[in-house]
Amino acid sequence: MYFIAYNAARWMICKAAGTSGADPMRISFKGALQELRNWEGQLNHPRTTQQDKRKLIAELYRGIALKTVPLRPNRKEPRCLKRRPKPYQLLTEHRSTMKETKHRSKYRVKAA
């Protein structure tokens, strides 16, 4: 289901980029979803005619095309762990009742 929603959003972005002449890879995915959420109440209103829906969809595409991401040429986004593993067990109980357990030398308490 997620792939269907993702592909529908990407299709909308490509359609908006085609009508405005923008690069589809520079249009923000998150911005497109926010724009769609803002317009869905008006698009799904029962009194909206087909002609009004076409106008609203054209406005939606214009709004999506305006949500661009700035070009960042030398940006690097490495994937790595944010926290280093620590040699202590997790604190899962209150400090006064917590007792250290032996886990095959996995957790070691340092001398104070």
Side-chain angles (χ1 to χ4, degrees):
M1 192 65 181
Y2 290 115
F3 290 123
I4 293 170
Y6 176 81
N7 286 334
R10 279 289 169 198
W11 179 81
M12 231 176 27
I13 289 171
C14 289
K15 194 90 163 163
T19 59
S20 69
D23 181 18
M25 296 307 292
R26 296 269 319 274
I27 295 177
S28 169
F29 184 80
K30 176 78 171 160
L33 293 182
Q34 288 173 343
E35 197 71 22
L36 179 63
R37 291 293 307 250
N38 289 338
W39 284 88
E40 79 175 317
Q42 293 175 348
L43 289 170
N44 292 330
H45 197 274
R47 292 186 183 165
T48 306
T49 63
Q50 288 297 329
Q51 185 178 4
D52 290 339
K53 282 187 181 182
R54 279 190 221 108
K55 289 179 185 176
L56 289 173
I57 289 172
E59 287 291 322
L60 171 66
Y61 287 155
R62 259 184 253 133
I64 288 173
L66 292 175
K67 306 271 184 175
T68 58
V69 178
L71 187 61
R72 297 176 278 191
N74 295 324
R75 185 175 174 99
K76 295 180 184 175
E77 297 178 7
R79 293 182 179 258
C80 57
L81 294 174
K82 292 186 176 185
R83 303 186 96 197
R84 62 179 174 78
K86 304 209 174 29
Y88 301 105
Q89 65 190 30
L90 295 174
L91 185 65
T92 57
E93 298 175 20
H94 194 271
R95 288 183 189 278
S96 62
T97 59
M98 183 76 180
K99 294 181 181 166
E100 183 184 354
T101 57
K102 303 288 183 187
H103 289 281
R104 293 182 290 177
S105 301
K106 187 175 179 182
Y107 303 114
R108 283 174 266 122
V109 176
K110 295 182 180 178

